């Protein structure tokens, strides 16, 4: 029978016997009976006190007891294990004779050749003095052709797995340890030795009063140190964990060194306390790593570490500086509700998937300078606790703003405001504008939801069925909104019959943000299928529709004032389009009786220039617009329908007026220069003096086709090389309407351009935004 279990049963029997004796004593008062009853219940149903007391009664380990336990190993989870639980093991220098014999005897048994390896269980034991665990392993070379024959074929295969990891690290240009360098060479004399621990190592609730040394050790089986206490330094430098490593709820009271280590399997540091420095530099985590609710009270260094799977730092408190410099994250990095009290550095880190900073707190400095984000990566800062007056977020100008993302405007307006103030203080105007663009995109989504979303307070029962609600759920929803309208989506969960799956089905949260650790590849962009709001009246609906339309135009055509080259690209295409239309209606008038047609030379030049201008405009749009095809479609909807309709009408009714062989366009013949014509109108006034000053453009000049682009430039941008206008006599109304239409668009365009320039030029921007 297990010794600890035997002691626990003896203590329980003594407690029960005492309770029975007390019950036999005649008691006169009801309170005495009640007191004894409570004592009996406590002793019968809560024997944890006796158990804890028995755990504190550790047995001193002697050489005789060690030999006895070695000859009688226990079977734990199918593996033979040396049982050294609940013992006091004195390895201090003053007990050197026992210490030397302890290592010699234990090393001999643990290193025996055979198919079955012997594990070591130190649970609930007290280790006094330094524990040199690396001396308990088998010293062997890890050169592929010289691995010790002591190991079984499965163990040899485990050791050879290290070569694949070393090749991965080498391919990523990351530092490698001496054993990795040995594996990658072909000469055996350059190989290095490593200590291989064959069996399982269990240290649950173990207390180490001295230093712990496992440097340059390869654990082939799991290591379980749940609840262990390390009072001195711990050295796991260049250690390889072949199976799961469990350090849950461990207390490291001195520094712990894990740099250049490799974790082949799942790693758990959940609720672990790091009282002093924690060093994980150059380490590699092949599987998921869990640091949930850990506490780093001093420096935490993860520089140049590699994380191949998900890493979870949720609810972790970083009281000291934190360094992830040049680290590589190949899957999700979860920093949900993490707290950074001092500076955290991600400089030159690589992210392949999103980083979740949801509800995290940055109290000092977060440095994302020179960080590399793939197309799938971004920083989710929804609910981020960040005060721009006390903390800073650094990043490459013009890049970091694009990487910041929030799930919705509601609840994140203060986050966006603080981030804007942060980048404004750093004079990173492009990032300020990018955040403003993000904010307006979220506003657009809210407008669209109000206009086109399904309001749970007004939707019909048939629509609720289409959304996936059952009959009982629909009845509960209707009863609730008849008594009181819904004010928040979470109120659905309080209704009978509506489970969490149904709530997720109609929720607007991304599934990857809610359960990224459970569904790392399940990223859904599907937005809410319902909204919770007051019903909109007709007037409110029209105002909301206008706001949605105007905001859509600003976002598509200028990136809400953040993309000057996008505005120029839109303008170039519009100028070229109207220019070729003016040339067409002026030079292509009729086929008979006397043809009025342009010559082939002029036709080639204007068509060629039209194509060149459009190519330049398209390049500007596709390089600067977030949704270039939508931007192009929006532009075509503005400039195509009305002009094309007017042109079709013009050629359908024909032209019958005087001065058919004279151009409709006139130019100011008194002056030829580059002009800024802010107050210019497209048609000359009805005054003889103006008719004398404005003369028809010359059709017989080879450069005549430039005049049409010049007139289009004047109409849209209020800038031109000549003051070209339409004549006032014998002018078809359709042509005048076309010119006035472009002139009206020009008023809006020049306003958009000046507004965009004021937001993107640093000096003007600061004058506008600083208060």
């Amino acid at each position: 029978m297990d010794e600890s279990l035997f002691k626990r049963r003896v203590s329980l029997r003594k407690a029960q016997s005492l309770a029975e004796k007390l019950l036999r004593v005649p008691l006169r008062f009801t309170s005495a009976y009640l007191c004894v009853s409570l004592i009996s219940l406590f002793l019968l149903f809560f024997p944890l006190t006796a158990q804890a007391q028995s755990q504190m009664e550790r047995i001193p380990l002697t050489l005789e007891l060690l030999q006895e336990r070695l000859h009688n190993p226990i079977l734990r989870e199918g593996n033979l294990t040396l049982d050294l639980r609940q013992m006091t093991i004195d390895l201090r220098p003053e007990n050197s004779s026992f210490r030397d014999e302890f290592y010699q005897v234990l090393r001999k048994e643990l290193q025996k050749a055979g198919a079955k390896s012997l594990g070591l269980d130190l649970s609930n034991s007290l280790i006094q003095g330094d524990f040199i665990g690396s001396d308990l392993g088998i010293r062997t070379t890890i050169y592929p052709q010289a691995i010790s024959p002591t190991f079984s074929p499965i163990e040899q295969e485990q050791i050879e797995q290290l070569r694949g990891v070393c090749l991965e690290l080498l391919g990523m240009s990351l530092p490698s340890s001496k054993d990795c360098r040995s594996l990658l060479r072909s000469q055996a004399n350059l190989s290095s030795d490593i200590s291989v621990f064959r069996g399982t190592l269990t240290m649950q609730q173990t207390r180490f009063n001295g230093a712990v040394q496992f440097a340059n050790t390869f654990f082939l089986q799991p290591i379980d140190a749940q609840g262990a206490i390390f009072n001195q330094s711990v050295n796991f430098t260049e250690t390889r964990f072949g199976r799961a490593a469990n350090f849950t709820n461990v207390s490291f009271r001195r520094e712990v060194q894990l740099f250049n280590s490799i974790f082949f399997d799942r790693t758990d540091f959940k609720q672990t306390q790091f009282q002093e420095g924690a060093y994980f530099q150059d380490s590699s985590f092949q599987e998921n790593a869990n640091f949930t609710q850990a506490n780093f009270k001093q420096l935490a260094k993860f520089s140049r570490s590699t994380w191949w799977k998900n890493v979870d730092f949720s609810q972790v408190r970083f009281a000291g500086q934190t360094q992830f410099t040049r680290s590589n994250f190949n899957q999700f990095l979860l920093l949900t509700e993490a707290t950074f009290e001092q500076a955290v550095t991600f400089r030159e880190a690589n992210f392949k998937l999103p980083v979740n900073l949801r509800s995290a707190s940055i109290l000092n400095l977060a440095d994302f300078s020179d960080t590399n984000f793939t197309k799938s990566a971004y920083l989710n800062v929804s609910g981020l606790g960040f005060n721009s007056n006390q903390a800073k977020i650094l990043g490459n100008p013009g890049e970091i703003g694009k990487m910041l993302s929030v799930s919705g405007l509601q609840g994140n307006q203060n986050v966006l405001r603080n981030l804007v103030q942060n980048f404004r203080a750093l004079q990173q105007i492009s990032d300020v504008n990018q955040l403003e663009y993000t904010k307006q995109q979220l506003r657009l989504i809210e407008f669209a939801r109000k206009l086109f979303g399904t309001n749970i307070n007004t939707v019909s029962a048939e629509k609720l069925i289409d959304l996936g609600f059952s009959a009982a759920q629909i009845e509960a929803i209707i009863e609730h909104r008849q008594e009181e309208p819904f004010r928040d989506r979470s109120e659905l969960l309080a209704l009978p019959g509506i489970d969490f799956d149904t709530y997720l089905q109609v929720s607007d949260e991304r599934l990857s943000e809610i359960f990224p650790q459970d569904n790392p590849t399940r990223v859904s962009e599907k937005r809410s299928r319902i909204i919770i709001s007051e019903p909109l009246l007709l007037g409110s609906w029209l105002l909301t529709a206008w706001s949605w339309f105007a905001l859509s135009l600003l976002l598509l055509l200028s990136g809400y004032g953040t993309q000057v080259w996008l505005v120029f690209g839109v303008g170039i295409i519009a100028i070229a389009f109207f220019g070729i239309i003016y040339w067409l209606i002026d030079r292509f008038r009729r086929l008979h009786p006397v043809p009025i047609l342009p010559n082939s030379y002029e036709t080639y030049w204007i068509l060629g220039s039209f194509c060149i201008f459009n190519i330049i405009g398209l390049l500007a749009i596709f390089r600067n617009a977030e949704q270039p095809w939508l931007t192009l479609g929006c532009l075509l909807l503005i400039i195509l329908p009305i002009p094309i309709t007017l042109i079709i009408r013009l050629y359908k009714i024909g032209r019958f007026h005087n001065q058919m062989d004279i151009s409709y366009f006139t130019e100011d013949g008194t002056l030829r220069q580059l002009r800024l014509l802010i107050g210019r109108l497209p048609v000359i006034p009805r005054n003889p003096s103006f008719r004398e000053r404005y003369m028809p453009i010359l059709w017989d000049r080879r450069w005549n086709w430039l005049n049409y682009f010049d007139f289009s430039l004047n109409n849209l941008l209020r800038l031109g090389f000549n003051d070209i206008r339409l004549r006032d006599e014998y002018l078809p109304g359709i042509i005048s309407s076309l010119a006035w239409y472009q002139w009206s668009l020009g008023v809006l365009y020049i306003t958009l351009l000046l507004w965009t320039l004021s937001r993107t030029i640093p000096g003007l921007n600061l004058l506008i935004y600083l208060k």
Side-chain angles (χ1 to χ4, degrees):
M1 181 182 296
D2 186 85
E3 185 176 350
S4 61
L5 182 59
F6 175 76
K7 288 183 177 181
R8 177 180 172 182
R9 290 184 177 179
V10 170
S11 300
L12 180 58
R13 288 176 182 174
K14 290 181 179 180
Q16 291 174 346
S17 176
L18 177 61
E20 290 174 358
K21 290 179 181 180
L22 289 173
L23 288 174
R24 294 193 190 103
V25 178
L27 298 176
R28 298 181 179 179
F29 302 99
T30 307
S31 58
Y33 281 108
L34 180 61
C35 181
V36 172
S37 301
L38 290 175
I39 293 174
S40 302
L41 289 174
F42 179 80
L43 293 174
L44 289 174
F45 296 101
F46 298 96
L48 298 178
T49 304
Q51 180 183 1
Q53 184 177 0
S54 65
Q55 289 179 357
M56 296 299 295
E57 297 174 358
R58 297 186 177 96
I59 303 173
L61 180 64
T62 61
L63 293 177
E64 294 76 11
L65 184 56
L66 176 61
Q67 291 290 348
E68 178 185 348
R69 294 297 176 89
L70 284 172
H71 289 91
N72 299 282
I74 63 175
L75 191 64
R76 182 170 182 176
E77 297 180 359
N79 298 315
L80 289 176
T81 303
L82 174 59
D83 183 12
L84 296 181
R85 293 176 294 175
Q86 288 186 239
M87 292 188 176
T88 300
I89 305 176
D90 191 353
L91 302 178
R92 290 175 293 184
E94 53 267 26
N95 197 17
S96 58
S97 58
F98 171 78
R99 180 189 61 186
D100 297 340
E101 192 71 20
F102 171 81
Y103 282 115
Q104 182 179 357
V105 172
L106 202 56
R107 186 186 306 116
K108 180 180 178 182
E109 293 297 326
L110 294 177
Q111 295 179 1
K112 279 185 179 180
K116 289 288 185 179
S117 57
L118 182 64
L120 177 61
D121 191 348
L122 299 171
S123 299
N124 299 304
S125 293
L126 172 63
I127 312 298
Q128 297 178 339
D130 295 343
F131 185 74
I132 314 300
S134 54
D135 287 349
L136 301 178
I138 301 175
R139 303 297 302 184
T140 180
T141 178
I142 57 173
Y143 184 72
Q145 286 77 27
I147 296 177
S148 173
T150 304
F151 302 105
S152 65
I154 297 178
E155 292 173 334
Q156 294 183 22
E157 183 180 352
Q158 272 187 270
I159 298 175
E160 290 176 359
Q161 285 180 355
L162 183 60
R163 184 178 182 86
V165 178
C166 294
L167 290 173
E168 290 176 348
L169 297 176
L170 183 66
M172 299 178 65
S173 301
L174 296 175
S176 56
S177 60
K178 59 184 180 180
D179 54 2
C180 279
R181 291 191 293 270
S182 170
L183 282 173
L184 298 175
R185 289 170 177 153
S186 59
Q187 299 179 6
N189 58 353
L190 293 178
S191 62
S192 61
D193 290 344
I194 191 171
S195 175
V196 179
F197 200 97
R198 298 181 62 197
T200 59
L201 177 60
T202 306
M203 301 180 291
Q204 294 183 8
Q205 308 294 331
T206 305
R207 186 183 185 93
F208 294 88
N209 286 340
V212 177
Q213 294 283 342
F214 276 105
N216 200 26
T217 303
F218 200 141
F219 291 97
L220 298 183
Q221 298 299 325
I223 174 173
D224 188 356
Q226 294 186 61
I229 299 175
F230 297 89
N231 288 312
Q232 298 299 325
S233 62
V234 178
N235 189 354
F236 282 97
T237 303
E238 295 191 358
T239 301
R240 282 75 182 97
F241 298 88
R243 293 288 184 264
N246 191 346
F247 292 92
T248 300
N249 203 24
V250 170
S251 177
F252 294 103
R253 298 183 177 178
R254 291 291 185 269
E255 69 176 24
V256 52
Q257 298 180 358
L258 278 154
F259 51 83
N260 227 327
S261 297
I262 300 177
F263 298 84
F264 288 91
D265 209 327
R266 182 177 177 85
T267 307
D268 279 309
F269 284 92
K270 185 176 180 180
Q271 298 178 346
T272 301
Q273 301 290 323
F274 297 90
Q275 303 289 340
E276 293 192 1
Y279 301 93
F280 289 83
Q281 307 100 295
D282 304 311
S283 293
S284 176
F285 297 81
Q286 301 293 308
E287 294 295 333
N288 294 339
N290 187 0
F291 287 82
T292 305
Q293 299 179 354
N295 190 352
F296 295 86
K297 293 191 175 181
Q298 293 192 24
L299 176 64
K301 293 194 71 172
F302 295 89
S303 303
R304 301 178 302 278
S305 56
T306 305
W307 314 78
W308 297 99
K309 296 295 179 66
N310 299 333
V311 52
D312 192 352
F313 284 98
S314 298
Q315 302 178 23
V316 173
R317 178 174 174 265
F318 296 93
Q321 292 188 9
T322 309
Q323 299 179 6
F324 288 96
T325 307
R326 296 181 61 187
S327 294
N328 294 275
F329 299 91
N330 294 279
Q331 296 292 333
F332 289 101
L333 170 60
L334 306 178
L335 294 166
T336 308
E337 299 182 11
T339 301
F340 299 93
E341 297 183 5
Q342 299 297 325
V344 54
T345 303
F346 289 93
R347 190 179 297 116
E348 298 183 64
N350 296 292
F351 298 105
K352 291 187 178 180
L353 287 178
V355 179
N356 196 340
L357 282 162
R358 193 181 188 95
S359 301
S361 298
I362 297 176
L363 306 181
N364 194 279
L365 172 69
D367 189 356
F368 291 91
S369 302
D370 301 318
T371 302
N372 180 34
F373 292 89
T374 62
K375 293 182 179 180
S376 302
Y378 58 86
L379 299 175
N380 178 14
V381 294
S382 301
L384 178 67
F386 171 72
N387 190 335
S388 59
N389 296 326
Q390 301 173 358
K392 290 183 180 179
I393 294 180
L394 303 181
N396 292 356
E399 297 179 7
I400 184 64
K402 298 178 181 178
M403 297 296 107
L404 300 175
S405 174
V406 294
S407 58
L409 191 59
Q410 184 177 3
N412 291 304
Q413 295 194 25
N414 191 53
V415 175
L416 294 173
R417 186 183 304 111
N418 287 332
L419 290 173
V420 166
Q421 292 178 356
N422 171 79
F423 292 119
R424 191 179 296 158
L426 298 173
Q427 298 186 11
Q428 296 182 204
I429 304 303
S430 57
D431 296 311
V432 172
N433 288 334
Q434 181 60 43
L435 288 172
E436 185 65 25
Y437 176 75
T438 301
K439 180 179 179 180
Q440 299 306 322
Q441 277 187 315
L442 296 174
R443 283 188 60 207
L444 185 67
I445 292 174
E446 287 194 348
F447 287 147
R449 287 177 180 173
K450 290 181 180 180
L451 292 172
F452 312 112
T454 303
N455 193 343
I456 195 67
N457 288 318
T458 59
V459 65
S460 63
E462 291 76 10
K463 185 62 176 178
L464 290 174
I465 294 176
D466 296 337
L467 291 174
F469 289 103
S470 64
Q473 293 171 347
I474 294 173
E475 183 178 356
I477 291 173
I478 294 176
E479 289 180 359
H480 183 279
R481 72 187 187 186
Q482 286 176 350
E483 297 177 358
E484 183 182 2
F486 288 93
R487 296 182 179 180
D488 189 79
R489 189 178 294 109
S490 60
E491 294 181 10
L492 289 172
L493 288 174
L495 298 180
I498 296 184
D499 54 9
F500 195 64
D501 292 337
T502 305
Y503 175 77
L504 283 181
Q505 186 177 356
V506 297
S507 173
D508 64 343
E509 299 287 346
R510 295 180 184 178
L511 295 179
S512 62
E513 294 178 359
I514 301 175
F515 302 119
Q517 65 273 26
D518 296 333
N519 302 283
T521 61
R522 187 178 178 184
V523 179
S524 175
E525 296 291 340
K526 183 177 69 174
R527 289 294 178 179
S528 174
R529 301 172 64 184
I530 64 170
I531 61 171
I532 309 292
S533 67
E534 296 292 333
L536 290 178
L537 301 176
L538 179 60
S540 300
W541 192 92
L542 292 175
L543 289 176
T544 304
W546 169 251
S547 300
W548 174 81
F549 176 73
L551 186 56
S552 299
L553 291 181
L554 289 177
L555 289 172
L556 290 174
L557 299 180
S558 68
Y560 200 76
T562 63
Q563 297 291 342
V564 175
W565 291 110
L566 174 59
V567 179
F568 278 127
V570 168
I572 289 172
I573 292 178
I575 290 169
F577 174 74
F578 280 98
I580 199 171
I581 285 180
Y582 294 139
W583 170 83
L584 179 66
I585 61 179
D586 192 43
R587 298 291 285 120
F588 196 102
R589 299 195 180 184
R590 67 186 183 192
L591 298 175
H592 57 79
V594 178
I596 302 178
L597 301 172
N599 55 53
S600 59
Y601 172 85
E602 186 176 345
T603 303
Y604 293 148
W605 270 100
I606 197 164
L607 291 178
S609 59
F610 173 77
C611 293
I612 292 173
F613 289 149
N614 275 282
I615 291 174
I616 295 173
L618 289 174
L619 286 175
I621 289 176
F622 278 87
R623 286 179 62 89
N624 296 280
E626 185 172 340
Q627 297 174 309
W629 288 108
L630 282 179
T631 299
L632 187 60
C634 178
L635 174 61
L636 295 179
L637 285 176
I638 294 173
I639 66 175
L640 276 183
I642 294 179
I644 294 299
T645 302
L646 293 175
I647 291 174
I648 293 174
R649 177 66 177 169
L650 177 66
Y651 281 98
K652 184 176 181 180
I653 64 176
R655 278 172 277 187
F656 306 96
H657 57 75
N658 295 332
Q659 299 182 3
M660 277 289 292
D661 56 348
I662 299 175
S663 175
Y664 297 125
F665 298 91
T666 61
E667 62 178 345
D668 186 356
T670 62
L671 193 63
R672 183 181 293 273
Q673 64 181 16
L674 182 64
R675 302 180 184 184
L676 184 62
L677 306 168
I678 298 297
R680 166 196 168 277
L681 299 178
V683 182
I684 64 174
R686 295 177 56 189
N687 191 300
S689 62
F690 277 90
R691 293 173 188 165
E692 294 175 0
R693 202 174 79 188
Y694 284 85
M695 297 177 293
I697 62 175
L698 303 175
W699 278 357
D700 57 348
R701 296 295 187 267
R702 298 174 67 90
W703 40 262
N704 174 60
W705 56 274
L706 288 171
N707 289 316
Y708 303 102
F709 289 121
D710 195 11
F711 178 73
S712 181
L713 183 66
N714 278 332
N715 262 359
L716 196 70
L717 201 58
R718 304 298 187 265
L719 181 69
F721 297 94
N722 293 297
D723 185 6
I724 299 178
R725 307 192 193 191
L726 290 173
R727 71 191 189 194
D728 65 317
E729 292 182 311
Y730 308 111
L731 179 68
I734 291 179
I735 298 176
S736 177
S737 300
L738 186 62
W740 278 106
Y741 178 70
Q742 191 199 12
W743 186 89
S744 302
L745 292 180
V747 173
L748 300 176
Y749 178 78
I750 196 66
T751 304
L752 178 64
L753 178 61
L754 293 176
W755 178 62
T756 305
L757 288 172
S758 71
R759 293 177 60 86
T760 53
I761 296 176
L764 292 177
N765 192 283
L766 290 177
L767 288 175
I768 290 175
Y769 287 107
L770 288 181
K771 299 179 180 178

